[in-house]
């Protein structure tokens, strides 16, 4: 059965309670803080969290690392940026 591993990884990040608490929410909170300080948001702000998600996803579902293509990191960051930036601008994830 074919599936979109990149999109499924985004779903995993948001729905796995451990990953969300340890990695996803803190990453979004840091990005929110940067936005509050009027600093520019860069792809690398998402990068380490997404790499961790790809590794955790493969481990949890016993998938080979080849499940993700060379473009997966960028694709997942694009999905997150497109979907999360409006919420971040609206003050979601704000910790201050």
């Amino acid at each position: 059965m074919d599936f979109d591993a990149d999109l499924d990884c985004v779903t995993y990040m948001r729905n796995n309670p451990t990953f969300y608490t340890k990695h996803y929410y803190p990453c979004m909170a840091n990005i929110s803080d940067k936005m509050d300080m009027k600093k520019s948001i860069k792809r690398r702000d998402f990068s380490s969290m997404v790499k961790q998600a790809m590794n955790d996803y493969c481990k949890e579902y016993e998938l080979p690392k080849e499940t993700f293509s060379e473009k997966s990191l960028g694709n997942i960051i694009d999905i997150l940026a497109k979907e999360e930036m409006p919420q971040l601008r609206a003050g979601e994830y704000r910790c201050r």
Side-chain angles (χ1 to χ4, degrees), residues 40-84:
S40 63
I41 306 305
K42 303 202 178 336
R43 296 173 72 77
R44 69 174 173 252
D45 294 318
F46 294 93
S47 178
S48 65
M49 185 261 302
V50 172
K51 288 177 184 175
Q52 183 68 50
M54 291 164 61
N55 287 331
D56 290 1
Y57 178 87
C58 287
K59 284 179 189 173
E60 178 145 344
Y61 298 108
E62 299 177 1
L63 298 169
K65 294 203 186 273
E66 295 79 29
T67 298
F68 295 103
S69 72
E70 291 179 19
K71 295 180 180 181
S72 290
L73 178 64
N75 291 342
I76 293 169
I77 290 171
D78 288 343
I79 292 167
L80 291 175
K82 180 180 177 189
E83 294 178 358
E84 292 291 356

Side-chain angles (χ1 to χ4, degrees), residues 18-54:
T18 303
F19 187 85
Y20 185 87
T21 303
K22 277 181 82 174
H23 302 286
Y24 193 88
Y25 187 88
C27 177
M28 294 302 153
N30 287 335
I31 291 170
S32 177
D33 288 348
K34 283 184 80 171
M35 290 178 76
D36 285 348
M37 292 183 279
K38 307 294 186 218
K39 292 183 179 181
S40 63
I41 306 305
K42 303 202 178 336
R43 296 173 72 77
R44 69 174 173 252
D45 294 318
F46 294 93
S47 178
S48 65
M49 185 261 302
V50 172
K51 288 177 184 175
Q52 183 68 50
M54 291 164 61

Side-chain angles (χ1 to χ4, degrees), residues 1-9 57 61 63 67-68:
M1 182 167 130
D2 288 332
F3 68 103
D4 184 337
D6 298 352
L7 192 54
D8 201 45
C9 187
Y57 178 87
Y61 298 108
L63 298 169
T67 298
F68 295 103

